[in-house]
Protein backbone atom coordinates (compact mmCIF):
# COMPACT_ATOMS: atom_id res chain seq x y z
CA UNK A 1 0.00 0.00 0.00
CA UNK A 2 1.51 3.31 -0.99
CA UNK A 3 1.49 6.42 1.19
CA UNK A 4 -1.51 8.00 -0.58
CA UNK A 5 -3.65 4.91 -0.09
CA UNK A 6 -2.52 4.65 3.52
CA UNK A 7 -3.60 8.26 4.24
CA UNK A 8 -6.96 7.58 2.56
CA UNK A 9 -7.36 4.44 4.67
CA UNK A 10 -6.57 6.43 7.85
CA UNK A 11 -9.21 9.02 6.93
CA UNK A 12 -11.82 6.34 6.30
CA UNK A 13 -11.04 4.71 9.65
CA UNK A 14 -11.31 8.10 11.39
CA UNK A 15 -14.68 8.76 9.76
CA UNK A 16 -15.95 5.31 10.72
CA UNK A 17 -14.80 5.83 14.31
CA UNK A 18 -16.55 9.19 14.45
CA UNK A 19 -19.80 7.72 13.09
CA UNK A 20 -19.61 4.85 15.54
CA UNK A 21 -19.09 7.27 18.43
CA UNK A 22 -22.22 9.18 17.41
CA UNK A 23 -24.36 6.08 17.68
CA UNK A 24 -27.43 5.02 15.70
CA UNK A 25 -28.98 7.65 13.43
CA UNK A 26 -32.42 7.35 15.04
CA UNK A 27 -30.90 8.22 18.42
CA UNK A 28 -29.20 11.26 16.86
CA UNK A 29 -32.52 12.39 15.40
CA UNK A 30 -34.18 12.03 18.81
CA UNK A 31 -31.41 14.10 20.43
CA UNK A 32 -31.75 16.80 17.78
CA UNK A 33 -35.52 16.96 18.25
CA UNK A 34 -35.09 17.27 22.02
CA UNK A 35 -32.59 20.10 21.56
CA UNK A 36 -34.98 21.87 19.17
CA UNK A 37 -37.74 21.60 21.78
CA UNK A 38 -35.49 23.08 24.43
CA UNK A 39 -34.54 25.98 22.16
CA UNK A 40 -38.18 26.66 21.33
CA UNK A 41 -39.08 26.69 25.01
CA UNK A 42 -36.54 29.42 25.69
CA UNK A 43 -37.37 31.62 22.68
CA UNK A 44 -39.73 34.49 23.36
CA UNK A 45 -40.35 35.50 19.75
CA UNK A 46 -41.52 32.92 17.22
CA UNK A 47 -41.51 33.16 13.45
CA UNK A 48 -44.55 32.08 11.47
CA UNK A 49 -43.46 28.46 10.93
CA UNK A 50 -42.38 28.13 14.55
CA UNK A 51 -45.74 29.50 15.72
CA UNK A 52 -47.60 26.98 13.55
CA UNK A 53 -45.65 24.13 15.12
CA UNK A 54 -45.92 25.58 18.62
CA UNK A 55 -49.69 26.02 18.41
CA UNK A 56 -50.20 22.85 16.40
CA UNK A 57 -52.13 24.35 13.50
CA UNK A 58 -51.65 24.50 9.74
CA UNK A 59 -50.22 27.56 8.00
CA UNK A 60 -53.56 28.32 6.37
CA UNK A 61 -55.38 28.31 9.72
CA UNK A 62 -52.82 30.60 11.31
CA UNK A 63 -53.09 32.98 8.35
CA UNK A 64 -56.88 33.00 8.81
CA UNK A 65 -56.53 33.68 12.53
CA UNK A 66 -54.16 36.59 11.92
CA UNK A 67 -56.31 38.03 9.13
CA UNK A 68 -59.32 37.93 11.46
CA UNK A 69 -57.16 39.47 14.23
CA UNK A 70 -58.03 36.58 16.53
CA UNK A 71 -54.46 35.80 17.55
CA UNK A 72 -51.86 38.34 18.76
CA UNK A 73 -49.05 38.94 16.27
CA UNK A 74 -46.54 41.53 15.10
CA UNK A 75 -45.52 42.79 11.63
CA UNK A 76 -42.44 44.95 12.25
CA UNK A 77 -41.58 45.45 8.57
CA UNK A 78 -45.07 45.12 7.18
CA UNK A 79 -44.67 41.61 5.76
CA UNK A 80 -43.18 39.00 8.09
CA UNK A 81 -45.35 37.82 10.98
CA UNK A 82 -43.92 37.27 14.45
CA UNK A 83 -45.53 36.00 17.63
CA UNK A 84 -44.74 36.50 21.31
CA UNK A 85 -44.73 33.07 22.95
CA UNK A 86 -46.18 34.33 26.23
CA UNK A 87 -49.04 36.09 24.38
CA UNK A 88 -49.69 32.92 22.38
CA UNK A 89 -49.83 30.94 25.64
CA UNK A 90 -52.35 33.41 27.10
CA UNK A 91 -54.38 33.27 23.89
CA UNK A 92 -54.38 29.46 23.95
CA UNK A 93 -55.52 29.41 27.58
CA UNK A 94 -58.42 31.85 27.19
CA UNK A 95 -62.05 30.80 27.58
CA UNK A 96 -61.39 28.16 30.19
CA UNK A 97 -64.19 25.62 30.38
CA UNK A 98 -65.21 24.52 33.83
CA UNK A 99 -65.56 20.82 34.46
CA UNK A 100 -69.04 19.67 35.42
CA UNK A 101 -69.19 17.43 38.46
CA UNK A 102 -65.65 18.12 39.58
CA UNK A 103 -65.01 16.20 42.76
CA UNK A 104 -62.83 17.87 45.33
CA UNK A 105 -60.53 16.15 47.82
CA UNK A 106 -62.74 17.48 50.64
CA UNK A 107 -65.77 15.73 49.15
CA UNK A 108 -63.82 12.48 48.85
CA UNK A 109 -62.47 12.65 52.42
CA UNK A 110 -65.83 13.77 53.89
CA UNK A 111 -68.62 12.10 51.88
CA UNK A 112 -72.16 13.38 52.51
CA UNK A 113 -74.32 10.77 54.19
Amino acid sequence: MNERHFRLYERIVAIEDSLEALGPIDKLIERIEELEKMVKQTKTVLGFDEACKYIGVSESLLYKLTAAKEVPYYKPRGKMLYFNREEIDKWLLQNKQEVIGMVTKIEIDNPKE
Side-chain angles (χ1 to χ4, degrees):
M1 189 183 308
N2 65 32
E3 186 177 335
R4 184 175 177 210
H5 286 104
F6 183 72
R7 281 187 286 169
L8 182 59
Y9 174 76
E10 284 182 328
R11 286 179 152 174
I12 291 171
V13 169
I15 291 170
E16 288 175 340
D17 290 345
S18 297
L19 289 172
E20 189 175 317
L22 290 173
I25 192 76
D26 57 330
K27 294 294 182 188
L28 279 175
I29 292 170
E30 286 178 26
R31 288 172 54 193
I32 290 169
E33 288 172 348
E34 278 298 312
L35 289 170
E36 287 175 343
K37 281 184 192 176
M38 290 170 58
V39 167
K40 287 179 184 172
Q41 290 173 350
T42 59
K43 282 184 78 172
T44 56
V45 177
L46 304 174
F48 187 81
D49 292 336
E50 294 169 320
C52 288
K53 289 176 187 171
Y54 185 75
I55 299 170
V57 299
S58 67
E59 290 181 6
S60 62
L61 178 56
L62 189 53
Y63 275 124
K64 288 176 186 174
L65 292 170
T66 56
K69 299 194 184 312
E70 292 185 32
V71 63
Y73 68 96
Y74 298 86
K75 286 175 77 170
R77 300 184 80 203
K79 291 185 180 183
M80 302 279 290
L81 300 176
Y82 295 95
F83 303 83
N84 179 296
R85 190 175 55 82
E86 289 180 13
E87 291 177 356
I88 293 294
D89 289 341
K90 287 178 185 175
W91 176 77
L92 288 170
L93 295 174
Q94 69 184 355
N95 296 329
K96 179 180 176 183
Q97 303 298 306
E98 296 298 327
V99 177
I100 297 173
M102 183 182 256
V103 179
T104 65
K105 182 170 175 28
I106 296 170
E107 292 173 336
I108 293 171
D109 291 344
N110 304 309
K112 294 180 181 174
E113 314 258 339

